[in-house]
Amino acid sequence: MSIENISVQYIKGVGEKTAEKLCRNLGIKSVRDLLYYFPREWEDRANPTKISELKPGERTTVRGKVENVSTEWRGRYIVAFRVKISDFSGTANAVWIRRSTRSYDVLGTLKKEITKGCDIFVTGSVNNDLWEKTVNVQEYEVIAVDEKNLINPALPGKTLRKGWVNFNRIVPVYPLTEKFTNKFLRTIIKRSIEKYIGTIAEIIPDNYLEKYDLVALKSAVQNIHFPETFTDRDKAKNRLAFDEFLNFQLKLEFLKQKRKYEKKEFKYTLTKKLLTPFKANLPFELTTAQKNVINEIFDDMLSEKPMNRLLQGDVGSGKTVVALSAMLLAVESGFQAVILAPTEILAEQHFYTIKKLTKKLDIKIGFIVGQMSQKEKKASIQKIADGTANIIIGTHALLEEDIKFKNLSLVVIDEQHRFGVAQRLKMRKKTKFKNADFLLMSATPIPRTLGLTLYGDLDISTIKELPPGRIPIKTLEMSDKNAYNFVREKIVQGEQAFIVYPLVDESEKLQLKSAIKEAENLRVTEFKDFSVGLIYGRMKPEEKDKVMSDFAKKKYQILISTTVIESGIDITNATVMVIEHAERYGLSTLHQLRGRVGRSDKESCCILIGDAKTENAKTRLEVLTKTNDGFKIAEADLKLRGAGEFFGTAQSGIPEFKIGNILTDFALIQEAKQLAIEIIQNEPTLVGHLVKNQTLQKLDLAEV
């Protein structure tokens, strides 16, 4: 029987109830799930730290002889078990802290096992307590026998379990909930390996294992948990990460091969009856980068193969104009085009921008968002269904079943990583044609080489060039007082400012300023002589529209907001962005917010107000002050947050790899890609076996 079909409850020490908890809290159902529940780190407990070399703040392992034990109460319910231990280099305290109701002895087991004269391992964090080095113990083990298998006289009759699990070796540390301990998980994983490791079948032929210097799968599974050396651990990680990447790349190559043979059921005609006047009426000159990307997109659209292209560009690079050009080609050919936005405010911004840019053209624009009145929605649905609306703009509301398109041929998805796989597939099914064109847009640029690897089934276009005349935004860290003085100076000069807060309502727990509270305060204090507006996500769409319209018309000199203005707001006269509690935002969000200013030829400034206490927060603010380059910021963000958070893997179609890292394992990804291509070309019968084999992580891939 396959280990995937063997319930974890049949492992000694688990049982039915514990199996239910493992499933509920850790997602572990089968023996395979358990063996593929990888450690988050490994500790070298084979080489304990000398007591004389203990350093406060470090987590470490010490081996010593118990000199004496004592118990002390630290408050009404907190009791400490203190043990003085020694080695040849000195002495230290080992302390266990327990919470007690005094109704029973929570230290009973400790008192029984740890007595004067015992030889003991302890692992925990080090601090200086009353001028003595102290280890706050998280794990321990009393040594029943020494290295020569001699019985410890302090533990008469007790023998050592077969093999060390928690000490005297490299020890795995797992990501856990409070329901389980690492000692328990190590024990049942060790038992699973001993019983089932022989049932794991190799899935990659020997010739490929040798070519890519990969260890056997059995060895990898065993050594990822209990390696003899860190070299063994690294080889195990390498093999298991390779399996993940190979599975992903096989699916990408499958999709790529499939699309080679797809053909459109329709044809565009480049009449230029819309495109020529559109270009002539633009209030600005397209950049060279925009022109090049438009040509790439048009080549795709005019070909017989369906377009699947990712358009990435920094904030303010002009992706909307490029997308609109593609939509106009579809419309002048007699088809409909849709742009799908992740938020209502971004959809509204697209609506106003496209309406403005096409006001002299024979274009009918449809608009669908969740917060529309039933009357407005019904009218829009009818126009979309009968073809009256040939450019449609909306949010997730466009995915509802009652939305029917007459002849939709082009789908543009903005901020594509914020749409789930299922949502994108649903949009694909709404097109009239089996193989419609898809243009995905992202303002989160990533290095091209990485993009080609992760989005290997897509063609990629990149806009790096900003519109001419744009002056780089200055980014500074300031105090509240200096920032408000700066804002007043700019307003007196006729310019406008954003002030952004992380919350709508005040949080006493977090002690953060809120948009509503501060808007009330600033209106009567710092900016009493100026007009101050307020906008946040929970407002009704018509209220937000009114506020933004008034701000654009300069009725407000200052707009106080939450991150609702992160995307899509384009106010050319706004030259100052003040971000309160800047340390609480991610790099991507900070960069997006900063991009709301600097939209004209005026000098603009982004002011960061914050108190960065962690190294990560300090790094984020430092990166932002040093560069405006979205690609460099994206790379830094990827390093700081990790791939899962950066790409939003649950939404993007990019899997959240369990052990592989798309940044540090880039060379390994490339090798997996090479092998995937080789297998598909030379051994197609092996593909199904590799993808379907349960030893490989199941990964879902977006069809768009």
Side-chain angles (χ1 to χ4, degrees), residues 233-254:
R233 188 274 315 267
D234 292 342
K235 289 180 178 179
K237 284 180 69 177
N238 193 71
R239 166 61 201 271
L240 294 167
F242 189 91
D243 283 1
E244 289 186 312
F245 296 143
L246 177 61
N247 195 26
F248 178 58
Q249 292 297 333
L250 279 169
K251 291 184 176 184
L252 273 182
E253 290 300 319
F254 251 153

PDB file of all heavy atoms in Angstrom, residues 233-254:
ATOM      1  N   ARG A 233      22.231  16.949   4.830  1.00  0.00           N
ATOM      2  CA  ARG A 233      21.032  17.779   4.850  1.00  0.00           C
ATOM      3  C   ARG A 233      20.896  18.592   3.568  1.00  0.00           C
ATOM      4  O   ARG A 233      19.812  18.656   2.969  1.00  0.00           O
ATOM      5  CB  ARG A 233      21.083  18.699   6.093  1.00  0.00           C
ATOM      6  CG  ARG A 233      19.809  19.530   6.389  1.00  0.00           C
ATOM      7  CD  ARG A 233      19.771  20.880   5.632  1.00  0.00           C
ATOM      8  NE  ARG A 233      20.976  21.612   5.655  1.00  0.00           N
ATOM      9  CZ  ARG A 233      21.317  22.567   6.553  1.00  0.00           C
ATOM     10  NH1 ARG A 233      20.510  22.858   7.514  1.00  0.00           N
ATOM     11  NH2 ARG A 233      22.480  23.220   6.423  1.00  0.00           N
ATOM     12  N   ASP A 234      21.994  19.211   3.144  1.00  0.00           N
ATOM     13  CA  ASP A 234      21.969  20.071   1.953  1.00  0.00           C
ATOM     14  C   ASP A 234      21.652  19.266   0.688  1.00  0.00           C
ATOM     15  O   ASP A 234      20.911  19.728  -0.182  1.00  0.00           O
ATOM     16  CB  ASP A 234      23.313  20.783   1.794  1.00  0.00           C
ATOM     17  CG  ASP A 234      23.552  21.809   2.897  1.00  0.00           C
ATOM     18  OD1 ASP A 234      22.572  22.210   3.555  1.00  0.00           O
ATOM     19  OD2 ASP A 234      24.724  22.197   3.094  1.00  0.00           O
ATOM     20  N   LYS A 235      22.214  18.051   0.602  1.00  0.00           N
ATOM     21  CA  LYS A 235      21.934  17.199  -0.556  1.00  0.00           C
ATOM     22  C   LYS A 235      20.462  16.772  -0.582  1.00  0.00           C
ATOM     23  O   LYS A 235      19.847  16.687  -1.641  1.00  0.00           O
ATOM     24  CB  LYS A 235      22.841  15.966  -0.544  1.00  0.00           C
ATOM     25  CG  LYS A 235      24.302  16.274  -0.869  1.00  0.00           C
ATOM     26  CD  LYS A 235      25.148  15.006  -0.852  1.00  0.00           C
ATOM     27  CE  LYS A 235      26.595  15.328  -1.227  1.00  0.00           C
ATOM     28  NZ  LYS A 235      27.436  14.081  -1.197  1.00  0.00           N
ATOM     29  N   ALA A 236      19.912  16.525   0.598  1.00  0.00           N
ATOM     30  CA  ALA A 236      18.499  16.154   0.698  1.00  0.00           C
ATOM     31  C   ALA A 236      17.607  17.317   0.271  1.00  0.00           C
ATOM     32  O   ALA A 236      16.644  17.139  -0.490  1.00  0.00           O
ATOM     33  CB  ALA A 236      18.171  15.719   2.129  1.00  0.00           C
ATOM     34  N   LYS A 237      17.909  18.516   0.767  1.00  0.00           N
ATOM     35  CA  LYS A 237      17.145  19.705   0.382  1.00  0.00           C
ATOM     36  C   LYS A 237      17.213  19.916  -1.124  1.00  0.00           C
ATOM     37  O   LYS A 237      16.216  20.228  -1.769  1.00  0.00           O
ATOM     38  CB  LYS A 237      17.690  20.941   1.106  1.00  0.00           C
ATOM     39  CG  LYS A 237      17.316  21.055   2.559  1.00  0.00           C
ATOM     40  CD  LYS A 237      17.902  22.302   3.200  1.00  0.00           C
ATOM     41  CE  LYS A 237      17.260  23.570   2.658  1.00  0.00           C
ATOM     42  NZ  LYS A 237      17.791  24.786   3.334  1.00  0.00           N
ATOM     43  N   ASN A 238      18.395  19.752  -1.673  1.00  0.00           N
ATOM     44  CA  ASN A 238      18.606  19.951  -3.100  1.00  0.00           C
ATOM     45  C   ASN A 238      17.728  19.004  -3.921  1.00  0.00           C
ATOM     46  O   ASN A 238      17.081  19.410  -4.891  1.00  0.00           O
ATOM     47  CB  ASN A 238      20.079  19.731  -3.424  1.00  0.00           C
ATOM     48  CG  ASN A 238      20.462  20.212  -4.815  1.00  0.00           C
ATOM     49  OD1 ASN A 238      20.513  21.406  -5.070  1.00  0.00           O
ATOM     50  ND2 ASN A 238      20.744  19.281  -5.705  1.00  0.00           N
ATOM     51  N   ARG A 239      17.692  17.728  -3.513  1.00  0.00           N
ATOM     52  CA  ARG A 239      16.904  16.744  -4.261  1.00  0.00           C
ATOM     53  C   ARG A 239      15.407  17.035  -4.143  1.00  0.00           C
ATOM     54  O   ARG A 239      14.680  17.020  -5.142  1.00  0.00           O
ATOM     55  CB  ARG A 239      17.204  15.333  -3.757  1.00  0.00           C
ATOM     56  CG  ARG A 239      16.211  14.258  -4.224  1.00  0.00           C
ATOM     57  CD  ARG A 239      16.211  14.145  -5.777  1.00  0.00           C
ATOM     58  NE  ARG A 239      14.992  13.537  -6.304  1.00  0.00           N
ATOM     59  CZ  ARG A 239      14.808  12.239  -6.491  1.00  0.00           C
ATOM     60  NH1 ARG A 239      15.787  11.375  -6.174  1.00  0.00           N
ATOM     61  NH2 ARG A 239      13.677  11.777  -7.003  1.00  0.00           N
ATOM     62  N   LEU A 240      14.918  17.288  -2.944  1.00  0.00           N
ATOM     63  CA  LEU A 240      13.494  17.502  -2.745  1.00  0.00           C
ATOM     64  C   LEU A 240      13.026  18.808  -3.399  1.00  0.00           C
ATOM     65  O   LEU A 240      11.912  18.875  -3.930  1.00  0.00           O
ATOM     66  CB  LEU A 240      13.168  17.495  -1.256  1.00  0.00           C
ATOM     67  CG  LEU A 240      13.386  16.133  -0.575  1.00  0.00           C
ATOM     68  CD1 LEU A 240      13.348  16.279   0.941  1.00  0.00           C
ATOM     69  CD2 LEU A 240      12.365  15.109  -1.044  1.00  0.00           C
ATOM     70  N   ALA A 241      13.870  19.832  -3.360  1.00  0.00           N
ATOM     71  CA  ALA A 241      13.537  21.084  -4.050  1.00  0.00           C
ATOM     72  C   ALA A 241      13.510  20.862  -5.562  1.00  0.00           C
ATOM     73  O   ALA A 241      12.644  21.392  -6.265  1.00  0.00           O
ATOM     74  CB  ALA A 241      14.558  22.165  -3.692  1.00  0.00           C
ATOM     75  N   PHE A 242      14.445  20.063  -6.057  1.00  0.00           N
ATOM     76  CA  PHE A 242      14.482  19.745  -7.484  1.00  0.00           C
ATOM     77  C   PHE A 242      13.191  19.063  -7.917  1.00  0.00           C
ATOM     78  O   PHE A 242      12.643  19.371  -8.982  1.00  0.00           O
ATOM     79  CB  PHE A 242      15.688  18.845  -7.792  1.00  0.00           C
ATOM     80  CG  PHE A 242      15.935  18.631  -9.260  1.00  0.00           C
ATOM     81  CD1 PHE A 242      16.771  19.481  -9.959  1.00  0.00           C
ATOM     82  CD2 PHE A 242      15.330  17.588  -9.952  1.00  0.00           C
ATOM     83  CE1 PHE A 242      17.001  19.300 -11.324  1.00  0.00           C
ATOM     84  CE2 PHE A 242      15.555  17.400 -11.311  1.00  0.00           C
ATOM     85  CZ  PHE A 242      16.390  18.259 -11.992  1.00  0.00           C
ATOM     86  N   ASP A 243      12.684  18.138  -7.094  1.00  0.00           N
ATOM     87  CA  ASP A 243      11.428  17.466  -7.405  1.00  0.00           C
ATOM     88  C   ASP A 243      10.277  18.467  -7.534  1.00  0.00           C
ATOM     89  O   ASP A 243       9.451  18.379  -8.452  1.00  0.00           O
ATOM     90  CB  ASP A 243      11.088  16.446  -6.320  1.00  0.00           C
ATOM     91  CG  ASP A 243      11.897  15.161  -6.432  1.00  0.00           C
ATOM     92  OD1 ASP A 243      12.741  15.072  -7.341  1.00  0.00           O
ATOM     93  OD2 ASP A 243      11.695  14.250  -5.610  1.00  0.00           O
ATOM     94  N   GLU A 244      10.208  19.421  -6.604  1.00  0.00           N
ATOM     95  CA  GLU A 244       9.165  20.446  -6.657  1.00  0.00           C
ATOM     96  C   GLU A 244       9.269  21.273  -7.930  1.00  0.00           C
ATOM     97  O   GLU A 244       8.282  21.497  -8.634  1.00  0.00           O
ATOM     98  CB  GLU A 244       9.276  21.375  -5.449  1.00  0.00           C
ATOM     99  CG  GLU A 244       8.869  20.762  -4.134  1.00  0.00           C
ATOM    100  CD  GLU A 244       8.869  21.783  -3.013  1.00  0.00           C
ATOM    101  OE1 GLU A 244       9.847  22.532  -2.879  1.00  0.00           O
ATOM    102  OE2 GLU A 244       7.882  21.837  -2.278  1.00  0.00           O
ATOM    103  N   PHE A 245      10.477  21.746  -8.215  1.00  0.00           N
ATOM    104  CA  PHE A 245      10.695  22.586  -9.394  1.00  0.00           C
ATOM    105  C   PHE A 245      10.421  21.812 -10.683  1.00  0.00           C
ATOM    106  O   PHE A 245       9.875  22.357 -11.642  1.00  0.00           O
ATOM    107  CB  PHE A 245      12.119  23.142  -9.405  1.00  0.00           C
ATOM    108  CG  PHE A 245      12.431  24.074  -8.267  1.00  0.00           C
ATOM    109  CD1 PHE A 245      13.683  24.074  -7.664  1.00  0.00           C
ATOM    110  CD2 PHE A 245      11.480  24.952  -7.791  1.00  0.00           C
ATOM    111  CE1 PHE A 245      13.975  24.930  -6.616  1.00  0.00           C
ATOM    112  CE2 PHE A 245      11.762  25.824  -6.740  1.00  0.00           C
ATOM    113  CZ  PHE A 245      13.007  25.805  -6.155  1.00  0.00           C
ATOM    114  N   LEU A 246      10.827  20.546 -10.710  1.00  0.00           N
ATOM    115  CA  LEU A 246      10.619  19.731 -11.901  1.00  0.00           C
ATOM    116  C   LEU A 246       9.130  19.551 -12.175  1.00  0.00           C
ATOM    117  O   LEU A 246       8.675  19.663 -13.324  1.00  0.00           O
ATOM    118  CB  LEU A 246      11.292  18.368 -11.736  1.00  0.00           C
ATOM    119  CG  LEU A 246      11.092  17.386 -12.903  1.00  0.00           C
ATOM    120  CD1 LEU A 246      11.676  17.952 -14.193  1.00  0.00           C
ATOM    121  CD2 LEU A 246      11.742  16.029 -12.581  1.00  0.00           C
ATOM    122  N   ASN A 247       8.385  19.276 -11.137  1.00  0.00           N
ATOM    123  CA  ASN A 247       6.944  19.129 -11.303  1.00  0.00           C
ATOM    124  C   ASN A 247       6.315  20.404 -11.875  1.00  0.00           C
ATOM    125  O   ASN A 247       5.496  20.368 -12.802  1.00  0.00           O
ATOM    126  CB  ASN A 247       6.318  18.774  -9.956  1.00  0.00           C
ATOM    127  CG  ASN A 247       4.900  18.237 -10.085  1.00  0.00           C
ATOM    128  OD1 ASN A 247       4.529  17.683 -11.104  1.00  0.00           O
ATOM    129  ND2 ASN A 247       4.121  18.405  -9.054  1.00  0.00           N
ATOM    130  N   PHE A 248       6.711  21.524 -11.320  1.00  0.00           N
ATOM    131  CA  PHE A 248       6.197  22.816 -11.776  1.00  0.00           C
ATOM    132  C   PHE A 248       6.599  23.092 -13.223  1.00  0.00           C
ATOM    133  O   PHE A 248       5.778  23.503 -14.056  1.00  0.00           O
ATOM    134  CB  PHE A 248       6.721  23.919 -10.851  1.00  0.00           C
ATOM    135  CG  PHE A 248       6.294  25.306 -11.242  1.00  0.00           C
ATOM    136  CD1 PHE A 248       4.953  25.637 -11.354  1.00  0.00           C
ATOM    137  CD2 PHE A 248       7.237  26.290 -11.497  1.00  0.00           C
ATOM    138  CE1 PHE A 248       4.562  26.914 -11.708  1.00  0.00           C
ATOM    139  CE2 PHE A 248       6.852  27.569 -11.858  1.00  0.00           C
ATOM    140  CZ  PHE A 248       5.519  27.885 -11.964  1.00  0.00           C
ATOM    141  N   GLN A 249       7.868  22.860 -13.549  1.00  0.00           N
ATOM    142  CA  GLN A 249       8.355  23.148 -14.895  1.00  0.00           C
ATOM    143  C   GLN A 249       7.750  22.197 -15.929  1.00  0.00           C
ATOM    144  O   GLN A 249       7.505  22.590 -17.065  1.00  0.00           O
ATOM    145  CB  GLN A 249       9.885  23.058 -14.936  1.00  0.00           C
ATOM    146  CG  GLN A 249      10.597  24.155 -14.156  1.00  0.00           C
ATOM    147  CD  GLN A 249      10.317  25.545 -14.710  1.00  0.00           C
ATOM    148  OE1 GLN A 249      10.028  25.714 -15.902  1.00  0.00           O
ATOM    149  NE2 GLN A 249      10.407  26.552 -13.855  1.00  0.00           N
ATOM    150  N   LEU A 250       7.485  20.944 -15.548  1.00  0.00           N
ATOM    151  CA  LEU A 250       6.818  20.019 -16.459  1.00  0.00           C
ATOM    152  C   LEU A 250       5.431  20.531 -16.828  1.00  0.00           C
ATOM    153  O   LEU A 250       5.023  20.481 -17.986  1.00  0.00           O
ATOM    154  CB  LEU A 250       6.712  18.629 -15.822  1.00  0.00           C
ATOM    155  CG  LEU A 250       7.957  17.746 -15.893  1.00  0.00           C
ATOM    156  CD1 LEU A 250       7.791  16.522 -15.003  1.00  0.00           C
ATOM    157  CD2 LEU A 250       8.261  17.324 -17.321  1.00  0.00           C
ATOM    158  N   LYS A 251       4.719  21.027 -15.839  1.00  0.00           N
ATOM    159  CA  LYS A 251       3.382  21.554 -16.097  1.00  0.00           C
ATOM    160  C   LYS A 251       3.439  22.811 -16.958  1.00  0.00           C
ATOM    161  O   LYS A 251       2.612  23.007 -17.851  1.00  0.00           O
ATOM    162  CB  LYS A 251       2.669  21.818 -14.774  1.00  0.00           C
ATOM    163  CG  LYS A 251       2.320  20.547 -14.031  1.00  0.00           C
ATOM    164  CD  LYS A 251       1.524  20.814 -12.774  1.00  0.00           C
ATOM    165  CE  LYS A 251       1.122  19.513 -12.107  1.00  0.00           C
ATOM    166  NZ  LYS A 251       0.274  19.710 -10.927  1.00  0.00           N
ATOM    167  N   LEU A 252       4.440  23.665 -16.696  1.00  0.00           N
ATOM    168  CA  LEU A 252       4.624  24.853 -17.526  1.00  0.00           C
ATOM    169  C   LEU A 252       4.911  24.472 -18.969  1.00  0.00           C
ATOM    170  O   LEU A 252       4.342  25.036 -19.908  1.00  0.00           O
ATOM    171  CB  LEU A 252       5.772  25.703 -16.990  1.00  0.00           C
ATOM    172  CG  LEU A 252       5.483  26.733 -15.903  1.00  0.00           C
ATOM    173  CD1 LEU A 252       6.761  27.482 -15.554  1.00  0.00           C
ATOM    174  CD2 LEU A 252       4.423  27.717 -16.349  1.00  0.00           C
ATOM    175  N   GLU A 253       5.837  23.527 -19.162  1.00  0.00           N
ATOM    176  CA  GLU A 253       6.198  23.102 -20.510  1.00  0.00           C
ATOM    177  C   GLU A 253       5.022  22.422 -21.200  1.00  0.00           C
ATOM    178  O   GLU A 253       4.825  22.584 -22.407  1.00  0.00           O
ATOM    179  CB  GLU A 253       7.416  22.155 -20.466  1.00  0.00           C
ATOM    180  CG  GLU A 253       8.720  22.845 -20.088  1.00  0.00           C
ATOM    181  CD  GLU A 253       9.092  23.955 -21.055  1.00  0.00           C
ATOM    182  OE1 GLU A 253       8.925  23.769 -22.289  1.00  0.00           O
ATOM    183  OE2 GLU A 253       9.526  25.018 -20.583  1.00  0.00           O
ATOM    184  N   PHE A 254       4.244  21.653 -20.440  1.00  0.00           N
ATOM    185  CA  PHE A 254       3.027  21.057 -20.981  1.00  0.00           C
ATOM    186  C   PHE A 254       2.107  22.136 -21.552  1.00  0.00           C
ATOM    187  O   PHE A 254       1.602  22.039 -22.672  1.00  0.00           O
ATOM    188  CB  PHE A 254       2.280  20.320 -19.871  1.00  0.00           C
ATOM    189  CG  PHE A 254       2.318  18.826 -20.002  1.00  0.00           C
ATOM    190  CD1 PHE A 254       2.211  18.030 -18.888  1.00  0.00           C
ATOM    191  CD2 PHE A 254       2.425  18.203 -21.239  1.00  0.00           C
ATOM    192  CE1 PHE A 254       2.251  16.654 -18.981  1.00  0.00           C
ATOM    193  CE2 PHE A 254       2.455  16.830 -21.341  1.00  0.00           C
ATOM    194  CZ  PHE A 254       2.371  16.054 -20.207  1.00  0.00           C
TER     195      PHE A 254
END
